[in-house]
Amino acid sequence: MPEKSEKKLSISSKKYKGETSVISARIPDKMIEDIDAICQNTGRNRNEIISLCLEFAINNIEIKKED
C-alpha cells in the first residue's frame, strides 16, 4: 500500500447518478490489487472505489506551477 497521508477518503452513499461514460486507463497491477482489497473490505465494486478516489483527488488537488 502507498504511504499514509493525513487526509482520509470517507466512503459514503453515491453522489453521482444518471449518465456515465466508459473510459480506459492503464493501472499498475499492484494498484489493482490494492483497489481489490479495498473492495473486499468495503463491499463496493471497483468502479465505485475508483470513482470515489477520483472525486477525492479532484476535490483535493494542488496544482504546482513551474516557474
Side-chain angles (χ1 to χ4, degrees), residues 25-32 35 50:
R26 294 188 186 278
I27 300 173
D29 291 341
K30 177 62 175 121
M31 188 178 292
I32 293 172
I35 292 168
I50 292 169

Side-chain angles (χ1 to χ4, degrees), residues 44-66:
R44 292 193 177 243
N45 62 44
R46 272 188 194 166
N47 185 67
E48 291 174 309
I49 297 302
I50 292 169
S51 292
L52 288 167
C53 290
L54 287 171
E55 180 180 5
F56 178 82
I58 290 167
N59 291 335
N60 293 286
I61 195 166
E62 178 181 319
I63 299 172
K64 295 181 181 181
K65 305 230 180 197
E66 294 183 27

Side-chain angles (χ1 to χ4, degrees), residues 4-10 56:
K4 303 284 183 192
S5 70
E6 293 177 19
K7 295 183 180 181
K8 300 290 181 188
L9 174 60
S10 178
F56 178 82

